[in-house]
Every structure is written in structure tokens, then in C-alpha cells.
Amino acid sequence: MAQHSRDILGRAPSLADTLALRLRDEIVSGRLRPGERLATEQQISETYGVSRPTVREAIGRLKHDGLVVTRQGAGAFVADPGAVSVFRLDVADFTDKEEIRNIVELLMAIEASATEHAAARRSDKDLRNIQAQLDAMQAAIDRGEPGVEEDLAFHRSIIEATGNPFFRDLSDFLDRRVRTFIRTARANTARLEGLTQAVQAEHQAISDAIARQDASGARLAAETHLKNAAGRLALYLKP
Amino acid sequence: MAQHSRDILGRAPSLADTLALRLRDEIVSGRLRPGERLATEQQISETYGVSRPTVREAIGRLKHDGLVVTRQGAGAFVADPGAVSVFRLDVADFTDKEEIRNIVELLMAIEASATEHAAARRSDKDLRNIQAQLDAMQAAIDRGEPGVEEDLAFHRSIIEATGNPFFRDLSDFLDRRVRTFIRTARANTARLEGLTQAVQAEHQAISDAIARQDASGARLAAETHLKNAAGRLALYLKP
DNA sequence: ATAACCAAGTTGCCTGACAAGTGGAAAATT
DNA sequence: AATTTTCCACTTGTCAGGCAACTTGGTTAT
């Protein structure tokens, strides 16, 4: 049961952490049904041999994740899955390549769709912002820099134009995740050079399609760009 | 500042909740930089006028969300954004129509892409599962039932065929969210009847495309299905 | 029968305390 | 003087015990 498992930094998980995990398991496995009451803090404290504050901390996390709701004086109850208003995505491992593949797949789906929507309903201000980021990227290339920050800013400006905060937050998280993976993986492999201008051309095509409000064209341009990026990334995912 | 704001159920947010919110704001706003140390529990306890256990609870949530890491004896530190391995999506309101629109948009992007991938790499077992769910839905229709459960199961079987857990978990959450919205909204509006057979025809088209491993065809079929579904949903989003 | 009340049980929050780990300053050694 | 060792203040992790606020179901009074 991985009793002595440790996290990434080598620290042992706290009591509250492990307890929260066990309680969570009780719920997601279905042993505790929605609406059902959990044992009282006192009881849990006794059965697991920890103090009540620790139990409170564990339950507090489940509450934070929307899995349980507590009512003072009444107890803690398993939340109705339909009423859960918190979505939580746990990315376990930094080096798991299968996981990165899945993340990239999700990221591509979101970015392609977002680009399509951006083209359909961008304001003039959105367009100006996108083109400004494109210029900034070109300037970085001219200075001989890789321009990873500018690249990210360009993509973000497109997502921003959709006006959908879910697109923004999710792609932000996934994008960051992928880029840090690349950064760490790059330490072990040769650097890829001379691609930036090709990338920029793809960006230009996306920007142009958005400028003329060509939704399907924008999606296509984004898809080819993402496919190429995934192809470059695949070099790190091979073995 | 919504000092006396209350949650959906009319309960006042706990002290730890509000404190966690304020500390979170310190971080995401950038007033506390990555790597920087938070004030000690003692200090926070004094500045905010709450006890240390409450402070611990608040910090515990940030820790749970990956925003801070703590080291016993050293203190609590703002986590490096690139290292954050937890994504959290907070859906605030049940009745916010703009929010539902955004959720549906994200859901459509995911489902369309997932259907495409499912067609490309489904196993025979996946296909059998999908067709079984389709048959179950037909049986429900023949019995004169709306078949919402079967509908959900059909969609899930397709997502499952992608083998990507992120697709599964996200669409699961979003789908549930949309359906509960519809359920509550439906109480105030007339019931829509006689559409189930039309829906089923769209399902059939998707299933067929997946069966012949026609990725782009599957995407197209999914897109029309989703667009129609969104159109039906739009009736609830009008005012 | 109904309404008001009460008491046990439960969560929310607090004080105070000790153990375990960290980091730097002070002391000891080379 | 430079380096290593030791030590101590500080911080987080955990515990014990207690009181206030709230819920619930039964009891009592009307």
C-alpha cells in the first residue's frame, strides 16, 4: 500500500495527506454514497489513531475539492456528484512520457478549437494584440533569441480573444506543463536550432486567418502548427 | 469586498476559506514571487487575527492546490508555477448562463477531438462497447424513456476509447455540469419531446464513422451532433 | 395534536504545548 | 585564520482539551 512512499521532493506525506487520500478513496470507490454521512471527526480520529485537528485538516481538503460538504452541528456528508463545482486535475509525474502525450493531445484539441473561435469573434483590439505579439516574436528572432516567452504570449493572445476563461486557464496550465517538460528533457539531448523562422511562418498563417475572420482556415493553420510542434516534441518522447 | 458573502447553500464561508482566498490572491497577483517565503504561521495568525490552526488549514489548501510547498522547520514557500502539478477549475454559479456557454464550448472541443481520436485508434473491444451503449440507448427509446443515462454512457464509451484519462475526467465533469444545469432549468420551461430518435440517428452516424475508422468523418459527425445539442440547449440560455 | 423547549451530539474555532526539522551563529578544532 | 562542529532559536507537524454555535430528535407544556 505504499506505506512509506515519499513525494517528489523526498518528503514523507503528512498524516493529513494520507488520511485525506484514504477518505477520498472511500468516496470515489463508492463505499460511501452521495448524501451519506461520514463518521464523526471523533470516530475517525479514533479509528485511524490520529488527533482531531489532523482529521479536520483531511476533511477540509475533501471539502475544498467539493467531495464533501459539512454542516455545523449535523456532520460531514458526501456531496452529490452533480453538484460538485470543482474540477481537479492531478498530474503525477514529471517524466512520464505517456502522460505528456495525453496532455499534448488535450492541449492540441483546446488550442485548435480556441483558434477557430478566436477567428470567428475577435475584436479589432484582440487582433491588434495578436499581431503585436507576433511582431514581438519576430523581434526576438531577429535578436537571435529562441523567443519562448514571446511564443507563449502569442498563443495566449489568441486564447484570450475567445473570451472563454476555461480555455485560457486550462491551456495555460497544460502549456506550462509541456514547456517545463521540454526544458528538463532538453538537458539530455541536442538543441534544436534554425526552426524558429519556420515556426514564425506558421504563426503568421494563423494570425492572417484570424485577421480575415476565417474560422475554418484558422483552425487548419493551428492544426498544422500544432502537429508540427508535436512532431518536434516527439523527439523527446521516443524511447 | 463581499465581506458577508455566502455560498450557494447560504452558509457563511469558514475563516480558513476566506484566509486561503486572501493568501491565494497574494500569490496569483504576484505580490509574492515564486520561491519567496510566506510569513510564518504565527505572524499570519497575528496579522489576520485568527488562531494558528486556522492559518494551518488555509495554508494546507494552498499546499493541496500546489501553490505553496512547506518544509518543516524552514517555512512555507511559493511554488514554482512550472512545477505546479495540480489544475483546479472552480465553477462558481449554477445559474450563470455565460458560464454554461463557456463550459459547453470547452466540452464540444474536447468531445469532437476525442471522437476523432477514438475513430483512429479504437480497438475491437472499444467498438463493441460503443455499439452496445448505442443499442442500450435504442432500447431505452423503444421503452419510451428519455434515456439520459444511456446517452451519457454512449458518449463516455467513445471517450474511453481514446485511452486518454484527461479527456475522460474533464468531459465527465463538464458533461455532468451541463446536464444538471439542464435539469434545473427544465423545471421552468416546457419539456422537449420527440427528439430522441433524431439524436439517436446522429449517434448512429458517429458510431458508424468510428466503426470504419474514419477519423475526420467521426469528427464531422460529432460536430454536427454537438452543434445540434448546443442548439437545443440554447433554448435555456436565451434571456 | 401542536408548539415550544431542551439536551445530546457535532462541527467551528481557540489556547497551549511538545516533537521534529532547519539554519545560522557561536564555539571548538585544526 | 580558516574550517569544522556544536548548539540554539525558530518554524512546521501533531497532539490534547475545551468552549461556542448549530442541528436534531425527543420531551414537555399548551
Side-chain angles (χ1 to χ4, degrees):
Chain A
M1 254 304 192
Q3 287 258 33
H4 297 283
S5 72
R6 307 187 153 250
D7 66 13
I8 320 160
L9 300 170
R11 300 192 332 273
S14 72
L15 282 182
D17 273 320
T18 54
L19 179 56
L21 227 60
R22 294 186 68 165
L23 292 176
R24 174 187 300 271
D25 189 55
E26 293 271 319
I27 294 172
V28 298
S29 73
R31 279 195 295 282
L32 250 55
R33 302 271 205 57
E36 207 166 338
R37 218 196 73 177
L38 274 68
T40 68
E41 297 178 352
Q42 186 71 37
Q43 289 169 332
I44 296 176
S45 154
E46 283 164 11
T47 56
Y48 286 96
V50 295
S51 73
R52 218 192 90 179
T54 304
V55 175
R56 280 188 62 73
E57 204 176 325
I59 291 181
R61 296 200 189 159
L62 302 184
K63 203 166 40 166
H64 188 53
D65 289 347
L67 268 72
V68 309
V69 292
T70 59
R71 276 162 45 217
Q72 185 175 170
F77 302 83
V78 179
D80 175 12
V84 171
S85 62
V86 177
F87 174 71
R88 198 182 144 85
L89 202 64
D90 261 283
V91 180
D93 200 337
F94 259 99
T95 54
D96 187 341
K97 288 171 179 165
E98 179 63 24
E99 192 169 81
I100 287 288
R101 244 187 294 266
N102 287 331
I103 287 178
V104 169
E105 208 166 271
L106 179 56
L107 182 57
M108 287 173 70
I110 291 167
E111 288 229 20
S113 175
T115 308
E116 185 177 355
H117 286 121
R121 58 178 183 239
R122 97 271 186 302
S123 68
D124 290 349
K125 191 177 157 207
D126 291 329
L127 181 59
R128 279 197 298 277
N129 186 19
I130 291 168
Q131 290 175 334
Q133 301 304 334
L134 190 67
D135 293 345
M137 171 110 188
Q138 185 61 54
I141 293 174
D142 292 344
R143 285 198 306 274
E145 297 170 11
V148 290
E149 276 307 316
E150 287 79 4
D151 187 9
L152 197 133
F154 172 71
H155 281 232
R156 243 203 101 134
S157 68
I158 293 173
I159 306 271
E160 207 76 61
T162 66
N164 189 331
F166 297 119
F167 277 125
R168 167 166 46 79
D169 294 346
L170 231 190
S171 72
D172 218 57
F173 171 75
L174 299 174
D175 212 334
R176 218 189 286 279
R177 192 76 195 171
V178 172
R179 283 168 202 273
T180 51
F181 171 82
I182 292 175
R183 238 197 309 278
T184 57
R186 192 171 266 168
N188 310 335
T189 36
R191 183 69 172 282
L192 302 173
E193 299 283 358
L195 290 167
T196 38
Q197 196 58 59
V199 169
Q200 182 71 349
E202 294 169 13
H203 284 177
Q204 185 74 54
I206 295 172
S207 174
D208 289 348
I210 293 175
R212 62 175 189 272
Q213 305 194 326
D214 175 6
S216 59
R219 164 177 277 279
L220 277 173
E223 277 175 351
T224 59
H225 174 53
L226 291 166
K227 245 171 229 146
N228 289 340
R232 291 191 287 277
L233 176 66
L235 297 177
Y236 301 111
L237 296 174
K238 261 296 160 50
Chain B
M1 252 305 194
Q3 287 258 30
H4 297 281
S5 72
R6 307 187 152 249
D7 68 12
I8 320 159
L9 299 170
R11 299 193 331 273
S14 73
L15 282 182
D17 273 320
T18 55
L19 179 56
L21 227 60
R22 296 186 68 163
L23 292 177
R24 175 188 299 270
D25 189 57
E26 293 271 317
I27 294 173
V28 299
S29 73
R31 278 195 295 280
L32 252 53
R33 301 273 209 42
E36 207 166 339
R37 218 197 73 175
L38 273 69
T40 68
E41 297 178 350
Q42 185 72 37
Q43 289 169 330
I44 297 176
S45 152
E46 283 164 9
T47 56
Y48 287 97
V50 295
S51 73
R52 196 166 81 97
T54 304
V55 175
R56 281 189 60 73
E57 202 176 327
I59 292 181
R61 303 212 177 148
L62 302 184
K63 203 167 38 166
H64 189 53
D65 289 348
L67 268 73
V68 309
V69 291
T70 58
R71 276 161 44 215
Q72 185 175 170
F77 302 84
V78 179
D80 175 12
V84 172
S85 63
V86 177
F87 174 72
R88 197 184 144 85
L89 202 65
D90 258 286
V91 179
D93 200 335
F94 259 100
T95 54
D96 187 341
K97 287 170 179 165
E98 181 64 23
E99 192 170 81
I100 287 288
R101 244 186 295 267
N102 286 332
I103 286 178
V104 169
E105 209 166 88
L106 180 55
L107 182 57
M108 287 173 70
I110 291 166
E111 289 230 19
S113 175
T115 307
E116 185 177 356
H117 286 119
R121 58 177 182 243
R122 98 279 188 295
S123 68
D124 289 349
K125 192 178 158 208
D126 291 328
L127 180 60
R128 279 197 298 276
N129 188 19
I130 292 169
Q131 291 175 333
Q133 301 304 333
L134 190 68
D135 292 344
M137 171 111 186
Q138 186 60 54
I141 293 175
D142 292 344
R143 285 197 305 274
E145 297 170 12
V148 290
E149 277 307 318
E150 288 78 5
D151 187 9
L152 197 133
F154 172 71
H155 282 232
R156 243 203 100 136
S157 68
I158 292 173
I159 307 273
E160 208 76 59
T162 66
N164 189 330
F166 297 120
F167 276 124
R168 167 166 47 80
D169 294 347
L170 231 190
S171 72
D172 217 57
F173 171 75
L174 299 174
D175 213 334
R176 219 191 287 277
R177 192 75 193 173
V178 172
R179 282 166 203 272
T180 52
F181 171 82
I182 292 174
R183 237 197 311 277
T184 57
R186 192 171 266 170
N188 309 335
T189 37
R191 183 69 172 283
L192 304 173
E193 298 283 358
L195 289 168
T196 37
Q197 196 57 60
V199 169
Q200 181 70 350
E202 294 169 12
H203 283 179
Q204 185 73 54
I206 295 172
S207 174
D208 289 349
I210 292 176
R212 61 174 191 273
Q213 306 194 325
D214 174 8
S216 59
R219 165 177 276 280
L220 277 173
E223 276 176 351
T224 58
H225 174 52
L226 291 166
K227 245 171 228 147
N228 289 341
R232 290 190 286 275
L233 176 66
L235 297 177
Y236 301 112
L237 296 174
K238 261 295 162 49

